[in-house]
Amino acid sequence: MKWYQYVYYNYGNCYLPWWTMVTYYPSNLPKDPINEGNWTVYAYQQDHESVININFPAENWSFEQMNALPLNAPFPAYKALGNRTAPVILTQLVGDAVGVTYFDGIIYVPSDANELYAINAYTGKLIWEATTANSVMSNPIVVNTSRGPIVYVSVGDAGFSASHSIFAVITGNYKNVVRGYSYGAVYAFNATNGQLLWVHFDDGNVMPTPAYIDGLLIYGDGSGHIVALNATTGQVVWRDYVGVSAFDSMSSTNYYVFPNGTTIAIMGFTLALPPYGELIAVNVQNGQIVWEFALPKGFTPFNTGMGDVSPAVDEEKGIVVQSTIVNFNKTNETVGFAVFALNATNGHLLWIEQLVRGYVPPAFKGGVPTIYNGVVYVGTPVANELFALNETNGKILWVAQIPNVQGPPNGAGGGRANPVYVNGYIIEPAGAYIDVYNASNGQLVKSYYVGGRFGIVNAVVVGSTVFVDNSYNWVFAIPLNELIS
Amino acid sequence: MKWYQYVYYNYGNCYLPWWTMVTYYPSNLPKDPINEGNWTVYAYQQDHESVININFPAENWSFEQMNALPLNAPFPAYKALGNRTAPVILTQLVGDAVGVTYFDGIIYVPSDANELYAINAYTGKLIWEATTANSVMSNPIVVNTSRGPIVYVSVGDAGFSASHSIFAVITGNYKNVVRGYSYGAVYAFNATNGQLLWVHFDDGNVMPTPAYIDGLLIYGDGSGHIVALNATTGQVVWRDYVGVSAFDSMSSTNYYVFPNGTTIAIMGFTLALPPYGELIAVNVQNGQIVWEFALPKGFTPFNTGMGDVSPAVDEEKGIVVQSTIVNFNKTNETVGFAVFALNATNGHLLWIEQLVRGYVPPAFKGGVPTIYNGVVYVGTPVANELFALNETNGKILWVAQIPNVQGPPNGAGGGRANPVYVNGYIIEPAGAYIDVYNASNGQLVKSYYVGGRFGIVNAVVVGSTVFVDNSYNWVFAIPLNELIS
């Protein structure tokens, strides 16, 4: 098989700390791909409904990435680390933490093993792969530009260095709390052949997924900045400082377009000091803050919650929905799980509900909500439950227990990714299963065994096929009718 | 060229999170290697005198590791991270943090880019390389065993996870402060061909170098444990818990043999609570604590200092020497630099001297001392100085300024590795140079330009050749007479 390999040691005048090796198999490109617009935001749509309604066949394949584990293997280092830490380290440092992207007949797969894969969506064959300087925990963004289709991925990690960590607290100097132990960066590759176009390094992690808006890539980083890059060149267009001790962990940028065309970018930040967390909306043209939202009295965000979850946006109704863990009880070490909705125009609170109390999830501190047809669907790793809420007032329509979540009550949580609505069903991967619920009453319809473990992985439905990846470094194409009939 | 490649997906019944790939070039093995005993402890000898007096020729070669940077390149991501953070991330996550090991004609090179290299000491040609699950920040230990020569390397990282970091402090729960963001482990490879013999995973980092004593590998880890492994099988023989919120960052194990043959293993721990740091000695046979030493009143260890430095041991006089930063001044953010000596038998303080005050070093918080002929040689990154002290009372014999250390006053520090005594000279790499001093008065004799940057890298002198590696992923063999004449 004919293939090409490129090794990039630098870009412009700047050397890469890890070179980027791209291996390209042109003969594996899709023959007549069906394109359906740009993938500009985490989980495809502003409302996090990851469904592409095109005429795509029912495919069935699996792709084993580098370092893939047998699907029935126990977590590596399980004995040394236990069932709370072993799966977290695997997901945050080796396997795929978040879901895949579809664009133009290609599935882009982000791997924490410092890899990005481009795979033929029809055949499961590798088109190209590229190495990066840190874990790819972002959902790849793919956009047609004047330079052709470009795939953007951000890289970063969830660690802290000693100087930004406990010693910052001991010395009382919170000024420099930065999330991200190793390099944070954004990479731009030619989406078809993997050619490296540019790299932008950042201070702190770039774990969250940037949003592509009006030619800019916009994201929050681990150093308390909101950054806008020119998507064509990688140059910084503007860069805001949110404030001391603020960082965006995994809160991928969403956006809302005002009726007059003004667009705001919205994302969550964790603050190490009161109010401990904020949702921030900035004007995409100049970075000016349009509104900031902190939780009301009675709801104190805990841990990385507010900086973890990507808010969902209902463009039509002008509503933003997010979740976070709140109100840590030091005595029994439990937390509450809150979901709230804001007016997208001014950030005013529409409703907030504390739905359950439970244990502190071991990593991602919330559930990514989806808004579909007036209903908010959101899982919670605090209690391994899935909720359907009235979008207008937050009242519970139904609640379902997520089955088969690995580990005992304090084990790794289920229900972290955005639930996806398809034909009257909700699809939500959790643990080693893809679970399917009746969307109208929450009844569990099917638990489809895959094996391994799902991170914050949502299903991506393209026509008649569902695509998922997992923490064991696999990618799967599953015919939709195997999940719903 | 004939070569072999092995990929290890598991060992025993346990899957590896990153498979270990070993590539072996048997034709590059040394023809008639000269062996000179086992390399059982960090920096070769208990007194940290890294000199092997054998008849070895004057070689001159350089070896470019994977991801090597041009020696005159600026630090990657320098613009985004600045001159305090960019070199630290490079050294802690990509390049070589500590010095090399010589054994039987082979140089073993630990790389933070998750690699171990075995290189022909005569020719600079690659014999084998192996990938690991995390950074190799340890000085490889090589020992002839009943299974042939084995090279042991420990892996780990200097990061913290969120749950072991600032939120531990916010919630007041210090119980679980563990250092190490990703996997910590010890690997055993056949020293000749790289065959993987066993892997032991650990809770927290294993950045420090284990000592090989009486068939055991003994080390402190990031979770506050002291661990003894059977060096042949990798099984845990005993495992001590030092206490809550204790971790060994980079304090490699040393040892002392009592006149009656009883051997103690000695290493430093950082404590997040008072007394903030300890030196601990355990009986190697059963792990029982023989003595614990905390600094006296007037000396409060700061940051990771006590857990960073490997103590030097004078076996003949029964003296242990270590350094640490102390007495942080919150107002001007300076620290003191203290060196102290203990009675190796009971851990009683013989002397302690605060030598200088200066800025907080960006990473490694001390200087590894060497004891040679009644003199303690120790550098300090706090002030970029090199000291010679009377071993008996700690009085300063001379002090020398380390020249050419990169960056402004708060830049990366020099003088972290153990100085090495050769023929009346002291060799100490710092910044981009190998500096040579007159051992009797501290006068700078030569600054030999290498390029790149040295981490905690000591020179290893084998006969007529000096071996060093650096943070830019290079290994060098330099004829000794180019440094001293």
Side-chain angles (χ1 to χ4, degrees), chain A residues 22-40:
Chain A
V22 177
T23 312
Y24 174 43
Y25 305 86
S27 60
N28 287 343
L29 279 166
K31 305 301 173 207
D32 295 299
I34 305 158
N35 186 9
E36 174 59 19
N38 296 326
W39 186 293
T40 61

Side-chain angles (χ1 to χ4, degrees), chain A residues 9 14-19 66-70 73-74 76-77 80-81 86 89-90 92-94 112-114 137 157-162 164-167 169-175 177 179 181-183 201-204 247 270 272 276 302-304 328 330 333, chain B residues 9 14-19 66-70 73-74 76-77 80-81 86 89-90 92-94 112-114 137 157-162 164-167 169-175 177 179 181-183 201-204 247 270 272 276 302-304 328 330 333:
Chain A
Y9 295 92
C14 192
Y15 285 93
L16 296 171
W18 297 78
W19 34 253
M66 284 168 65
N67 293 298
L69 290 169
L81 301 174
I89 295 195
L90 185 69
Q92 288 187 344
L93 287 141
V94 186
D112 288 353
N114 299 14
M137 293 205 224
D157 63 83
F160 292 87
S161 70
H164 295 157
S165 179
I166 55 170
F167 297 105
V169 177
I170 287 175
T171 62
N173 181 354
Y174 281 88
K175 280 201 302 285
V177 174
R179 185 157 214 192
Y181 169 62
S182 180
Y183 295 101
F201 282 98
D202 215 77
D203 186 10
F247 48 86
T270 299
Y276 296 116
F302 180 67
N303 211 303
T304 49
F328 178 68
K330 210 165 161 173
E333 299 201 339
Chain B
Y9 296 92
C14 193
Y15 285 93
L16 297 171
W18 295 79
W19 33 253
M66 285 168 64
N67 295 297
L69 290 170
L81 300 173
I89 295 194
L90 184 70
Q92 288 188 345
L93 287 140
V94 186
D112 289 354
N114 299 14
M137 293 206 223
D157 64 82
F160 292 87
S161 70
H164 294 156
S165 178
I166 55 168
F167 296 104
V169 177
I170 286 175
T171 62
N173 182 353
Y174 281 88
K175 279 202 303 284
V177 175
R179 185 159 212 191
Y181 169 62
S182 181
Y183 295 101
F201 282 98
D202 214 78
D203 186 10
F247 48 86
T270 299
Y276 297 116
F302 180 67
N303 211 304
T304 50
F328 178 68
K330 211 166 161 174
E333 298 201 340

Side-chain angles (χ1 to χ4, degrees), chain B residues 372-373 375-377 386-389 397-400 419-427 436-445 484:
Chain B
Y372 186 82
N373 201 21
V375 180
V376 172
Y377 299 96
L386 186 67
F387 288 88
L389 310 173
L397 301 174
W398 52 256
V399 53
V420 168
Y421 178 98
V422 190
N423 302 342
Y425 296 94
I426 294 296
I427 300 178
V436 182
Y437 305 83
N438 182 318
S440 57
N441 59 21
Q443 196 186 339
L444 183 72
V445 174
I484 64 176

Side-chain angles (χ1 to χ4, degrees), chain B residues 255-277:
Chain B
Y255 64 94
Y256 173 67
V257 186
F258 283 52
N260 69 2
T262 299
T263 304
I264 56 173
I266 309 164
M267 69 207 77
F269 274 86
T270 299
L271 310 176
L273 300 167
Y276 297 116

Side-chain angles (χ1 to χ4, degrees), chain B residues 459-473:
Chain B
V460 173
V461 182
V462 182
S464 303
T465 298
V466 179
F467 297 98
V468 287
D469 56 346
N470 77 2
S471 299
Y472 277 50
N473 281 310

Side-chain angles (χ1 to χ4, degrees), chain B residues 58-60 446 448 463-466 478-485:
Chain B
E59 297 297 350
N60 193 343
K446 181 175 277 191
Y448 181 92
S464 303
T465 298
V466 179
I478 301 164
L480 180 60
N481 64 15
E482 290 195 17
L483 297 177
I484 64 176
S485 29

